[in-house]
Amino acid sequence: MHKFVVKQAIKTAENELLGHELLFDIEKDKGGQSSDYNAADAISSFLTQNNSKIDRSALNFMTFTPNLLFKDMPKMFKADELVIQIEDSVIVYPLAQKMVQEYREQGYRIAINDFQFQPRYLSFMEYTDYIKINVKNTEKPTVETMICMAKGFHKLCIATNIDTEEDYTFAKTFNFDYYEGSYIAKAAIVKTNKMQYMESNFCQLLVAITSELPDVDEIHWIIKRDASLTYELLRVVNSVHFALRHPTSSIRQAIMVLGLEQLKKWVYLLSFNRKEQSGSEDMLKISFLRATFSSSLMDYCEDMPISKADAYLMGMLSALPLMVDATMEELLEDISTQDMIKEALITHEGRCGTLCKLVLCYESAQWDKIKEYAEELGIPTESMAQIYMDCEEEVNLIWQELTQSHFGESEKEALEKL
């Protein structure tokens, strides 16, 4: 049985994060059905196995079926970490109101998913904190009526299925409090002509490069986890100034070509060029997750013409157009990459392109395409949810390390050494 899981951001129009929804897709049985019992069993086993890997730094929204509620699965989360989403399968259940009321009394917040203007939904209003409205499947007058009614009951409204700029523009014509969909992580990002650097990551690079005995492995890892630093390093090393006989697309090789003294000068220049405001947290996390996921999937891909390091670079570079006001073609003109990686990033052709498409489709929860591309690459679909959660955990751990760093005395001393 395959199961896929991905998380989607829920934000205000001002780009403030409320939380993430954990989305699950469970394979249907041979009769075309996916019973609540089987789905609940698969989801509960997966959550139990990955309980420690779930990001709890923001609210988690998750849809609970009757069987998941009876299994007490919400209690895997603290009440202030979780919003219990219910939908029609719960609302029509005979004991539904009693179950929801009990969880509400225990401090859990409740959301109604895909809210409908029908009596059975209205009867749950007193237990509800959030109303989620699918803007793609609901007529404008109906959306206006539901929002007006929800506001009258002092409920918060979330627009869902925001997958394109057009969806977002349409949803913003209403009085929604929050927005959710595959487009939302990118919606409020202001692209820049110059690369932006994450403050703490740059500071760690600063300290590493100016230490008495610089550790190349450490420097390599710091640059590797930041799309903008990776891009700038490869662009510099492959510039006319160095006139390499064989252009490099390897971060480690670029460090060796540049040399520690030149690398120090490069970091010094970056310290002047950096903007005070650090790069977008969302975009940096997306690029890091794409890179980590692409590299991890290579352990399962069949007949791939690139290495895991190449796949990591491809995943990292795929996020650059989200941060920079330039096309992928324009960005790749400044750096050296293998032709097949360029083709994958620009046209999504070839087996590398299929891997790139798989990662992007997984990010946007396009379940049917995920299955198609995974099978084409020989990746066992039953393993993908676990691979994704492992990558999420790795990204979250690294992010904690980065965001706990501050520009302190060691960084100031490093600047003085340059």
Side-chain angles (χ1 to χ4, degrees), residues 94-139:
L95 298 177
Q97 282 198 7
K98 185 175 185 299
M99 288 191 296
V100 171
Q101 183 179 2
E102 287 177 355
Y103 278 110
R104 182 71 184 277
E105 289 172 352
Q106 294 170 31
Y108 290 92
R109 280 163 280 191
I110 308 296
I112 297 182
N113 201 22
D114 200 9
F115 184 83
Q116 304 295 317
F117 199 64
Q118 297 178 9
R120 66 178 184 273
Y121 283 80
L122 296 176
S123 66
F124 277 78
M125 289 296 288
E126 64 177 296
Y127 311 116
T128 303
D129 300 278
Y130 301 95
I131 299 297
K132 302 184 78 175
I133 300 172
N134 184 343
V135 295
K136 280 185 178 174
N137 295 336
T138 313
E139 296 294 329

Side-chain angles (χ1 to χ4, degrees), residues 204-225 251-252 255-256 259-261 263-264 267:
Q204 290 190 17
L205 176 60
L206 195 64
V207 172
I209 195 62
T210 56
S211 65
E212 289 187 11
L213 294 173
D215 186 334
V216 173
D217 289 335
E218 180 185 8
I219 293 168
H220 171 256
W221 175 235
I222 292 171
I223 295 173
K224 177 183 175 181
R225 67 193 179 197
I251 298 171
R252 184 177 294 277
I255 293 171
M256 302 308 293
L260 291 177
E261 286 305 314
L263 195 60
K264 286 181 182 180
V267 173

Side-chain angles (χ1 to χ4, degrees), residues 357-372:
K357 287 188 291 187
L358 174 59
V359 171
L360 297 180
C361 288
Y362 204 102
E363 181 179 285
S364 56
Q366 298 181 48
W367 308 124
D368 290 340
K369 291 184 178 180
I370 292 169
K371 189 171 185 293
E372 175 189 343

Side-chain angles (χ1 to χ4, degrees), residues 38-57:
N38 290 337
D41 187 56
I43 291 173
S44 61
S45 297
F46 183 80
L47 287 175
T48 301
Q49 182 180 351
N50 292 280
N51 186 35
S52 63
K53 299 178 181 179
I54 296 172
D55 184 7
R56 298 166 191 269
S57 60

Side-chain angles (χ1 to χ4, degrees), residues 301-360:
C301 290
E302 298 174 354
D303 303 321
M304 290 299 289
I306 59 173
S307 67
K308 289 188 66 173
D310 292 330
Y312 186 100
L313 180 65
M314 183 175 70
M316 183 70 78
L317 293 178
S318 70
L320 280 175
L322 302 176
M323 296 183 277
V324 187
D325 190 16
T327 65
M328 183 63 79
E329 292 92 331
E330 292 169 332
L331 290 167
L332 295 181
E333 285 177 359
D334 292 330
I335 64 175
S336 173
T337 57
Q338 295 182 50
D339 288 342
M340 63 186 68
I341 293 179
K342 281 188 177 181
E343 182 182 31
L345 290 169
I346 295 172
T347 68
H348 292 173
E349 297 294 327
R351 289 189 70 75
C352 297
T354 301
L355 176 59
C356 192
K357 287 188 291 187
L358 174 59
V359 171
L360 297 180

Side-chain angles (χ1 to χ4, degrees), residues 185-318:
K186 311 149 193 173
I189 300 305
V190 178
K191 295 182 181 181
T192 58
N193 290 319
K194 295 181 179 179
M195 303 303 295
Q196 294 178 306
Y197 308 99
M198 185 165 54
E199 183 77 13
S200 57
N201 208 35
F202 181 83
C203 292
Q204 290 190 17
L205 176 60
L206 195 64
V207 172
I209 195 62
T210 56
S211 65
E212 289 187 11
L213 294 173
D215 186 334
V216 173
D217 289 335
E218 180 185 8
I219 293 168
H220 171 256
W221 175 235
I222 292 171
I223 295 173
K224 177 183 175 181
R225 67 193 179 197
D226 191 316
S228 54
L229 288 175
T230 297
Y231 173 80
E232 286 290 350
L233 175 64
L234 293 177
R235 187 174 65 85
V236 168
V237 168
N238 290 295
S239 66
V240 176
H241 176 71
F242 287 93
L244 296 178
R245 180 175 300 177
H246 301 291
T248 180
S249 59
S250 162
I251 298 171
R252 184 177 294 277
Q253 185 180 351
I255 293 171
M256 302 308 293
V257 168
L258 203 61
L260 291 177
E261 286 305 314
Q262 288 287 350
L263 195 60
K264 286 181 182 180
K265 293 177 183 177
W266 175 66
V267 173
Y268 178 68
L269 290 174
L270 289 183
S271 69
F272 280 102
N273 293 334
R274 281 183 312 133
K275 295 188 175 183
E276 290 184 4
Q277 184 177 4
S278 61
S280 162
E281 174 178 321
D282 288 320
M283 291 303 97
L284 288 166
K285 290 183 81 171
I286 285 174
S287 66
F288 193 21
L289 181 57
R290 286 184 185 181
T292 307
F293 196 33
S294 298
S295 177
S296 297
L297 289 173
M298 286 289 291
D299 289 335
Y300 303 85
C301 290
E302 298 174 354
D303 303 321
M304 290 299 289
I306 59 173
S307 67
K308 289 188 66 173
D310 292 330
Y312 186 100
L313 180 65
M314 183 175 70
M316 183 70 78
L317 293 178
S318 70

